[in-house]
Amino acid sequence: QVHLVESGGGSVQAGGSLSLSCTASGSIFNFNLMGWYRQTPGKQRELVATVTSGGDTNYADSVKGRVTISADDARLTGYLQMNSLKPEDTAVYYCKAETRLGDFWGQGTQVTVSS
């Protein structure tokens, strides 16, 4: 089983920054796609950003220009750098990895942006 652990969540004032990380462990050496999603109470989980093993990135319109997704294959770690955070960015952020063993999700990390 592949295990994903997110870190870096927390509370920040509007306009501030946070950097999330997602470290994978298990019987994998690489990923096909790594992504970040977020969910707030009463809403479905939504895409934030994804990056493929080829380096192609995709961002939700709501975060374009403020968020950068990246991955370090050697460390089996994905990152989400978030700048100029807004209160509407408040959510539980989940890491997802698509690998040769299937798709796996982390347990989530809370991001709270105060106005």
Side-chain angles (χ1 to χ4, degrees):
Q1 180 82 349
V2 175
H3 187 216
L4 305 179
V5 178
E6 300 100 334
S7 63
S11 297
V12 65
Q13 293 183 347
S17 299
L18 283 174
S19 182
L20 308 182
S21 64
C22 172
T23 300
S25 63
S27 300
I28 60 170
F29 297 99
N30 52 51
F31 65 92
N32 296 325
L33 178 145
M34 179 266 167
W36 289 93
Y37 298 75
R38 65 188 182 188
Q39 186 170 22
T40 57
K43 298 183 65 177
Q44 294 189 97
R45 195 168 298 182
E46 65 178 1
L47 170 76
V48 177
T50 60
V51 60
T52 69
S53 60
D56 295 325
T57 58
N58 181 42
Y59 296 94
D61 288 341
S62 60
V63 302
K64 283 183 178 178
R66 302 187 296 115
V67 168
T68 301
I69 189 170
S70 62
D72 184 339
D73 289 343
R75 299 174 64 182
L76 294 176
T77 302
Y79 304 92
L80 188 72
Q81 177 65 47
M82 302 187 291
N83 303 315
S84 301
L85 285 164
K86 305 174 180 179
E88 48 264 46
D89 294 319
T90 296
V92 177
Y93 284 70
Y94 296 89
C95 174
K96 178 188 178 182
E98 296 182 5
T99 77
R100 63 182 177 87
L101 299 179
D103 300 345
F104 300 92
W105 291 88
Q107 67 289 128
T109 185
Q110 177 71 47
V111 170
T112 301
V113 184
S114 301
S115 60

